Amino acid sequence: MLRVLTYHRIAEPNERPHLDPSLISATPAVFQQQMLHLAEQYDVVTMQEVLEAVAGRRTLSPRAVLITFDDAYRDFIEHACPVLNRLTLPAPRESLVLVEEAAAELRRAGIGVSEMGLRGPTLDDVFLQLTGKPPSENGGPASTAAV
């Protein structure tokens, strides 16, 4: 069985009051406790490892956990990344590097960016691709579930 933890924001409730506080999945202290527990008790896997398991090219541990972040808020870099790095836990960070590189290149070219986003496949997208059915059929994954 694969467990999937989806986080939105890691922040203190009053840290950025202009952002919706209901999107906070955990405070930094609670997130650190959760990641310590995962590091000690579970096998944290990457999305690539999950896809390889679905394709039959690898087997996941019965204690496999996938950590995902639905959005790339600043608090992901400030609070989540240091914990994930310190514990060497995999989580989707590649998109952030691409965003930083793209933004730096645009700044160097003198181009201002008012709105920019990257979209990777959601768990619903992966489910649809693998089964040919929308996730609402047969109890498929719900990408809106948060921790």
Side-chain angles (χ1 to χ4, degrees), residues 122-140:
T122 65
L123 293 177
D124 290 345
D125 296 334
V126 173
F127 184 82
L128 179 62
Q129 182 180 7
L130 294 173
T131 66
K133 298 177 184 175
S136 59
E137 295 180 22
N138 301 322

Side-chain angles (χ1 to χ4, degrees), residues 68-107:
T68 67
F69 287 84
D70 195 29
D71 301 299
Y73 288 97
R74 174 178 286 148
D75 49 62
F76 174 79
I77 295 172
E78 293 172 350
H79 300 303
C81 278
V83 173
L84 295 168
N85 288 337
R86 186 171 51 257
L87 298 173
T88 62
L89 294 175
R93 293 173 243 189
E94 296 81 13
S95 296
L96 291 176
V97 173
L98 294 174
V99 169
E100 290 172 0
E101 290 173 358
E105 187 64 33
L106 291 171
R107 276 193 301 275

